[in-house]
Amino acid sequence: MEGKMTWTVADAVDYKGFPADKGKTGIELCERLSTMGIAVNLVTYLIGTMHLPSSTSANIVTDFMGTSFLLCLLGGFLADSFLGRFKTIAISAIVQALGTAMLATTTKLPQFRPPPCKSTATHPTLCEQATEFQMGILYLALYLIALGTGGLKSSVSGFGTDQFDEKDEKEKTQMAYFFNRFVFFISIGTLTAVTVLVYIQDEVGRSLGYGICSVAMGIAIVVFLSGIKKFRYKKSLGSPIVQIFQVFVAAVRKRRVEFSANLMYEDSPEGSRIQHTNQFRCLDKAAIVAEGDFEKFGASSVANPWKLCSVTRVEEVKMMVRLLPIWATTIIFWTTYAQMITFSVEQATTMDRSIGSFQIPAGSLTVFFVAAILITLGIYDRLFMPLWKKWKGTPGLSDLQRMALGLVLSVLGMAAAALTEKTRLSVAKSVGQNTSTLPISVFYLIPQFFFVGSGEAFIYTGQLDFFLTKSPKGMKTMSTGLFLSTLSLGFFISSFLVSVVKTVTAGGRSGGQGWLADNINYGRLDYFYWLLASLSVVNLVVYLVCAVWYKSQDNVKAANHNGNSAEEKC
C-alpha cells in the first residue's frame, strides 16, 4: 500500500478523474501571448493615430492594464467555484484570441480611426480626435482582451504548481526553480513582442502585428489542449471568497460570546488540520460552538457554515489576512512599472532613435527592460542560487528579500528616469521645444529600463512565490488573483496620480499645462518621476516594517508548533 501511494498524488487526479500518476506527468504550462505586445506600443497609436492628448493616452493604457489584472480576481473565483483551472485557462485563451482579432480588424478599417493630420497656413498641424464611436469600438476590443487576460493570469501559475507534488522531496526541489523559469519564459515571449511585433506594427501595419498576436494565441490554445491527458488536476475545494465571508459573518454574530478553547469546533480531516493560533483572536469566535449552530437534516445534524466554522477554516482566513500588509506595500512598484510603457515610450518618440539608417521603434525601447529581466533571472538562477545554497543551505533569497530588492531597484529606476528627463528637457530648450527629434540619444533611457526591469525580476518571482506558498491549499487561485491585483492597483494609482498632477500643476510655469503637458517638451516630467521616487522610498520603509512583522509571526508559529508552521500543514 505504501509503495502504491508513492506513485500517486493524493489531492490530484488525471483527465479521467483517477489519482494522478507521477510517472506520466511533466511540467506543462500554457503558452500564452503576453499583452505587452499590445500595451507597450499602444500609447504611440493613441497619440499618433487616434490623436489623443499625452496624459489621456497614458491613462487609457494604464486603465487597460489595471483592468486586465483586476479581472484576475473574477478569473480566480470562477476557477475555484465552477470551472476549475484547466477550463478557465482554455476559455480565457479563446476570449483573448477573439479580442486580439477584433483589435486587428479595428486598426485595419479606416472608419474606426480619425483621418490623418492636416497642415494649413493658420494651423501647421491640425488633427481631428477620434470620435466616441471609434473609441467605443477600440475599448470593446481592449477590454475583451482584458477579460481573457484576467482568466489566464489567475490560473496559469497555480495550474503550473499543481503539476508538482509538495510531499515529494524531488518535486518540491523542482518547484523552487519553477517560479524563476516561469517568469523567464514569459519574458522571452515579451522580448519577441517588443522587438518583432512592435517593429511590424510601426513599419508594416498595426493590423498585421495584432493579427500575429491572434494567430499565436490560437496556436497556444491548440498546444495547451494537446496536453489534456498529461496534466494533473487538483480537486476544487469550493469558493474561498464564500468561505472567507462565512468566517467573518460567524465571528460578527458571536462577537459577544465568551471565548473558550474547549468549545472550539473542528471537522477537518486529521491530516489537513491547522493548529489554532492566537493571532487575530476576534476571528476565533467563528469556531465557538453555540446554541443554534447545527441544523437537522434527517437523522443527522450539520453545522451551518454561516454560524459555525471549523478551526482550520478560521486559520485559513487568518493566513490570508496576514498576507495583506505585504500585498499593500508592493502595489507602488507597479505604479513605477506603468511609466515604462507610457511616459518612457513617449520620451523615446522625441529622441534620436537611429542606428545608422535604421530607426528603432519607440515601443521597442522596452527591449532593454525585458533584457534586464532575462539577464537578472539568468544570473540569479544559474550563478547566485547554487552559490547561496552552498553557503546558506537554502535555494536563493527568500520571497520577502526578493520583494525588498525589487522595491529598492524601482526607487533607483525612478531617480534615473528623473535625471535623464532633466537632461532631455535641457536639450529641448536649447534647440527649440517644437523640435520633433531632439539631438539626444534614446539610449539615455537604458538605466531606467534596466533598474525597473531588474526590479520586476525580483518582485514578480518573490510575490508569486509568497502568495502561492503562504496561502492555504484551497485558496491558491484566489491568492494568485490577490497578487495580480497589486499590478492592477498599481496601474490604477498611476492613472490617478497622472490625473491629480495634471490638474494641480496646470496653470504653472509650463505654459499652463503643468508637469504633464500634452507635448512633454513643455512639461516637467522629471518632477513627476521624483514624486514617484519619493513615494517609493516611503513605501519601502513601510514594507520593511511589515516584512519584519510577518517574519516574527512566522517564528512564533514555528516555536509553538515545534517547527511545523501552519503553511506547511496546508
Side-chain angles (χ1 to χ4, degrees):
M1 185 68 180
E2 290 178 358
K4 186 176 181 180
M5 287 299 291
T6 59
W7 288 97
T8 60
V9 185
D11 59 346
V13 296
D14 61 15
Y15 73 106
K16 292 182 179 179
F18 299 122
D21 186 345
K22 294 180 185 179
K24 294 193 286 187
T25 307
I27 302 175
E28 304 279 355
L29 289 175
C30 173
E31 287 293 329
R32 68 175 186 263
L33 183 65
S34 174
T35 54
M36 287 293 287
I38 296 170
V40 75
N41 207 31
L42 184 59
V43 69
T44 61
Y45 178 75
L46 294 172
I47 295 173
T49 303
M50 305 302 277
H51 308 149
L52 300 179
S54 170
S55 57
T56 302
S57 300
N59 281 357
I60 288 174
V61 175
T62 51
D63 287 344
F64 161 64
M65 294 295 287
T67 303
S68 298
F69 290 109
L70 186 63
L71 287 170
C72 292
L73 293 174
L74 174 62
F77 173 76
L78 293 176
D80 285 332
S81 304
F82 305 106
L83 301 177
R85 291 171 187 160
F86 178 83
K87 290 181 180 178
T88 301
I89 292 171
I91 294 173
S92 299
I94 293 172
V95 171
Q96 186 169 352
L98 293 174
T100 51
M102 183 177 180
L103 186 62
T105 303
T106 59
T107 54
K108 177 67 174 178
L109 301 177
Q111 55 264 43
F112 294 125
R113 61 178 185 270
C117 296
K118 300 177 181 178
S119 298
T120 63
T122 56
H123 296 86
T125 305
L126 184 62
C127 301
E128 179 183 334
Q129 284 193 23
T131 64
E132 292 184 1
F133 170 75
Q134 291 168 338
M135 291 304 300
I137 297 297
L138 179 63
Y139 284 141
L140 180 60
L142 289 176
Y143 287 98
L144 197 60
I145 295 170
L147 181 61
T149 300
L152 277 173
K153 289 185 178 295
S154 66
S155 299
V156 166
S157 56
F159 190 68
T161 58
D162 286 348
Q163 311 311 308
F164 299 92
D165 181 8
E166 295 182 37
K167 297 178 181 178
D168 184 300
E169 287 301 320
K170 183 178 179 180
E171 293 196 18
K172 189 174 181 180
T173 301
Q174 291 175 337
M175 189 188 290
Y177 293 90
F178 164 73
F179 299 108
N180 288 342
R181 293 172 182 174
F182 178 73
V183 178
F184 182 85
F185 284 109
I186 288 177
S187 299
I188 289 289
T190 305
L191 181 64
T192 304
V194 302
T195 52
V196 178
L197 285 181
V198 168
Y199 180 81
I200 291 174
Q201 290 169 18
D202 284 356
E203 302 299 327
V204 181
R206 294 268 174 177
S207 57
L208 177 60
Y210 296 145
I212 292 174
C213 291
S214 183
V215 172
M217 198 69 234
I219 295 173
I221 293 169
V222 173
V223 172
F224 177 69
L225 294 178
S226 69
I228 190 171
K229 295 183 179 181
K230 297 181 181 180
F231 291 137
R232 292 175 181 171
Y233 304 89
K234 291 291 178 76
K235 301 172 184 177
S236 176
L237 300 178
S239 170
I241 296 178
V242 174
Q243 295 168 9
I244 290 172
F245 276 120
Q246 287 173 343
V247 171
F248 279 101
V249 169
V252 170
R253 282 180 169 178
K254 297 179 178 178
R255 61 188 180 279
R256 292 187 176 89
V257 174
E258 186 177 350
F259 176 80
S260 174
N262 297 326
L263 296 176
M264 298 190 77
Y265 173 71
E266 180 61 274
D267 66 345
S268 302
E270 187 70 31
S272 62
R273 291 183 180 180
I274 306 175
Q275 294 185 30
H276 173 253
T277 63
N278 292 324
Q279 195 176 23
F280 306 123
R281 294 290 296 273
C282 59
L283 296 177
D284 288 339
K285 293 187 178 181
I288 299 296
V289 178
E291 186 178 354
D293 287 347
F294 291 88
E295 298 177 355
K296 288 188 176 182
F297 285 91
S300 62
S301 59
V302 180
N304 183 334
W306 294 97
K307 295 180 180 180
L308 180 64
C309 303
S310 67
V311 173
T312 295
R313 180 60 49 79
V314 172
E315 291 301 321
E316 287 178 340
V317 174
K318 288 183 182 182
M319 290 170 65
M320 295 301 293
V321 173
R322 289 179 67 229
L323 303 180
L324 295 181
I326 302 298
W327 168 82
T329 50
T330 52
I331 292 173
I332 195 67
F333 175 88
W334 301 106
T335 300
T336 63
Y337 170 92
Q339 313 318 310
M340 298 299 102
I341 59 174
T342 52
F343 288 118
S344 292
V345 174
E346 191 173 350
Q347 284 177 288
T349 62
T350 68
M351 303 170 78
D352 182 11
R353 293 177 280 117
S354 60
I355 301 179
S357 59
F358 178 74
Q359 186 84 349
I360 304 173
S364 289
L365 261 294
T366 50
V367 69
F368 297 107
F369 177 83
V370 182
I373 298 175
L374 295 175
I375 293 171
T376 301
L377 288 176
I379 293 175
Y380 181 78
D381 191 29
R382 292 300 181 182
L383 181 62
F384 183 83
M385 287 182 70
L387 293 175
W388 189 269
K389 188 173 183 179
K390 289 182 180 179
W391 181 35
K392 293 286 189 179
T394 57
L397 299 173
S398 70
D399 42 26
L400 293 173
Q401 290 170 332
R402 278 178 281 166
M403 287 187 277
L405 187 53
L407 292 174
V408 170
L409 289 169
S410 71
V411 174
L412 297 177
M414 287 299 96
L419 294 173
T420 299
E421 176 61 10
K422 185 177 181 179
T423 302
R424 193 194 67 82
L425 286 175
S426 65
V427 172
K429 290 180 180 179
S430 64
V431 300
Q433 292 170 308
N434 285 323
T435 305
S436 58
T437 301
L438 302 175
I440 178 174
S441 174
V442 76
F443 296 115
Y444 273 85
L445 299 176
I446 290 179
Q448 65 201 63
F449 282 112
F450 181 83
F451 281 125
V452 178
S454 295
E456 185 191 351
F458 286 111
I459 201 166
Y460 195 100
T461 56
Q463 284 183 296
L464 192 62
D465 189 352
F466 178 79
F467 284 98
L468 282 176
T469 60
K470 299 300 189 297
S471 62
K473 182 182 296 183
M475 299 185 182
K476 288 189 182 295
T477 304
M478 179 186 171
S479 65
T480 303
L482 190 65
F483 149 52
L484 293 171
S485 70
T486 64
L487 283 75
S488 171
L489 292 174
F491 284 110
F492 285 134
I493 289 174
S494 176
S495 297
F496 173 75
L497 287 176
V498 167
S499 298
V500 170
V501 169
K502 176 78 173 177
T503 302
V504 171
T505 62
R509 295 187 303 170
S510 304
Q513 297 188 57
W515 293 359
L516 305 177
D518 292 340
N519 183 337
I520 60 173
N521 290 344
Y522 288 92
R524 291 308 303 259
L525 183 58
D526 55 330
Y527 290 172
F528 182 66
Y529 284 144
W530 280 124
L531 173 63
L532 289 175
S534 301
L535 292 174
S536 298
V537 169
V538 173
N539 178 80
L540 176 61
V541 174
V542 177
Y543 169 82
L544 293 176
V545 173
C546 294
V548 170
W549 171 82
Y550 187 91
K551 190 65 178 176
S552 67
Q553 296 300 321
D554 253 3
N555 293 336
V556 170
K557 290 169 67 180
N560 290 340
H561 299 162
N562 297 319
N564 293 319
S565 67
E567 286 82 0
E568 292 172 332
K569 293 194 175 185
C570 286

